[in-house]
Amino acid sequence: MPLGVVMKGIGGFYYIKSSFHGIIECKARGIFRKDDIIPLPGDKVSFSIIDTNKNTGLIEEILPRSSELVRPAVANVTQLVVVVAVKSPQPDFLLLDKMLITASLKNIKPIILFNKIDRSSGQDIERIKKVYENTGYDLFFLCAKSHEGFDDLMGILKENITVFAGQSGVGKSTILNRLAGAAVMETGEVSDKIERGRHTTRHAELLELSNGGLVVDTPGFSSFELTGVELNDLELHYPEFINHLGRCRFNGCSHINEPDCVVKEAVENGDIDNERYERFVHFYSLLKKQKDQRYRK
Ligand SMILES: Nc1nc2c(ncn2[C@@H]2O[C@H](COP(=O)(O)OP(=O)(O)O)[C@@H](O)[C@H]2O)c(=O)[nH]1
Ligand SMILES: [Mg+2]
Ligand SMILES: [Zn+2]
């Protein structure tokens, strides 16, 4: 039976791309609905052909997923590129760190892409570099308006399903249009888009690049909650903490108030960036509050 990838789903129809048959319009077997499984963009599926002339078929089976994102709803995502504008809109570093943690939680490789470097002084960029260069994340600095830096970015997208996420207006759609070599995504200033956005519902859709990489644009969001992270696991989602873990004086050290804490020492001597650590403390307190509330009920 042929295999393919769900590129998008609209109104009960799924568009499957397969190397042999091209794009096939499929319905899903009723059995999926019964099991409460809906094919998602990114799903690898087996399908049968119903009509070769009309290119229609039926999804027979959804293969096991390596990851599942909820916002946007996409399966088998391998990379999350968090796009941050160095200026306009002002970077939201809490949002950035939340997204990095979420990717790690879902077994997806996080990548940070700082865009609009033409809008900022070298000093601002140096400050951002200082905070993130020791984290172990892959960093990209880009001006979506020029051609610089796109070859490297294109290279890492090959053989991956990559979601581009970030605040509205940071340049996600501009970057994807440049990568695709065509204006496939709607771009523009935030104010125009809010107007237009009212009339359109958007579904996640996979876009295929010339090197075979699959990418997904997401509309920006104003809020993004940290969900599903266990309080005691938060430290594991900070790559720059990993080498220090297990070496604090206390077993199960939260790295907040305990004495002889190796993580805090690393912050003091600059191995771990102070801003990153402060946001860790912020998330830790939030998760702790949520946990305490759950127990009180
Ligand atoms: N100066 C500058 N403007 C950019 C850059 N990238 C995108 N923009 C502009 O920022 C605005 C928002 O871009 P858009 O791609 O729609 O952002 P999205 O909401 O993240 O998809 C548009 O007016 C773009 O032309 C860049 O690197 N430099
Ligand atoms: Mg956009
Ligand atoms: Zn500690």
Side-chain angles (χ1 to χ4, degrees):
M1 207 174 291
L3 292 175
V5 177
V6 178
M7 302 297 280
K8 63 175 173 183
I10 297 171
F13 289 98
Y14 300 93
Y15 296 83
I16 314 293
K17 190 188 163 316
S18 85
S19 42
F20 190 71
H21 298 275
I23 298 282
I24 309 287
E25 183 187 88
C26 289
K27 289 207 150 203
R29 275 198 176 283
I31 183 168
F32 298 133
R33 241 163 298 144
K34 195 184 100 244
D35 293 343
D36 221 10
I37 297 177
I38 305 168
L40 294 177
D43 262 326
K44 294 192 185 92
V45 297
S46 65
F47 61 94
S48 50
I49 304 276
I50 292 175
D51 186 328
T52 25
N53 294 323
K54 291 194 195 134
N55 277 337
T56 54
L58 189 66
I59 297 178
E60 298 284 349
E61 194 191 354
I62 300 174
L63 276 57
R65 292 170 178 160
S66 67
S67 70
E68 198 179 318
L69 266 185
V70 179
R71 262 175 90 184
V74 184
N76 300 317
V77 174
T78 51
Q79 304 187 122
L80 179 76
V81 173
V82 187
V83 184
V84 180
V86 292
K87 203 173 206 168
S88 168
Q90 264 328 99
D92 181 341
F93 292 110
L94 271 179
L95 177 68
L96 168 60
D97 287 359
K98 266 192 265 188
M99 291 182 139
L100 297 171
I101 293 166
T102 301
S104 161
L105 178 74
K106 292 182 179 283
N107 200 22
I108 294 169
K109 182 183 179 179
I111 292 159
I112 313 175
L113 198 166
F114 291 104
N115 187 35
K116 304 201 189 185
I117 55 170
D118 59 311
R119 295 289 307 270
S120 182
S121 68
Q123 251 175 346
D124 289 340
I125 295 172
E126 286 312 312
R127 228 195 92 235
I128 292 174
K129 264 194 191 148
K130 197 189 130 289
V131 176
Y132 285 93
E133 72 188 350
N134 286 335
T135 52
Y137 295 113
D138 287 357
L139 302 184
F140 282 86
F141 288 85
L142 202 72
C143 166
K145 292 213 153 165
S146 78
H147 287 271
E148 262 170 73
F150 275 88
D151 287 348
D152 288 348
L153 183 59
M154 192 75 170
I156 62 154
L157 302 176
K158 203 177 166 179
E159 287 162 14
N160 279 292
I161 298 183
T162 308
V163 164
F164 283 70
Q167 284 164 274
S168 195
V170 294
K172 299 178 294 292
S173 302
T174 306
I175 294 166
L176 286 174
N177 285 344
R178 175 131 288 162
L179 289 167
V184 280
M185 303 296 172
E186 191 185 6
T187 64
E189 296 307 328
V190 178
S191 52
D192 320 335
K193 276 189 298 199
I194 291 168
E195 266 314 301
R196 275 175 283 157
R198 285 205 188 107
H199 308 288
T200 48
T201 28
R202 297 210 230 171
H203 298 272
E205 182 176 334
L206 264 53
L207 175 72
E208 188 178 16
L209 303 178
S210 58
N211 66 3
L214 296 169
V215 292
V216 183
D217 193 2
T218 58
F221 22 69
S222 47
S223 73
F224 181 89
E225 301 308 322
L226 252 197
T227 44
V229 183
E230 287 295 329
L231 181 64
N232 294 332
D233 290 346
L234 183 64
E235 60 182 22
L236 302 175
H237 300 297
Y238 280 73
E240 71 267 47
F241 286 18
I242 298 292
N243 285 337
H244 302 287
L245 298 180
R247 293 173 41 223
C248 300
R249 177 158 144 203
F250 291 103
N251 248 341
C253 179
S254 68
H255 323 303
I256 311 276
N257 292 317
E258 294 90 335
D260 297 328
C261 168
V262 175
V263 169
K264 277 197 294 183
E265 278 164 22
V267 175
E268 268 150 39
N269 70 28
D271 282 348
I272 292 175
D273 181 81
N274 191 45
E275 284 185 33
R276 281 273 293 170
Y277 174 71
E278 279 173 8
R279 290 194 282 276
F280 166 82
V281 174
H282 172 80
F283 295 135
Y284 190 92
S285 341
L286 269 181
L287 291 172
K288 180 148 178 23
K289 209 189 274 172
Q290 287 172 8
K291 192 175 173 183
D292 292 346
Q293 273 165 1
R294 268 203 309 269
Y295 277 113
R296 231 172 282 146
K297 275 181 195 155

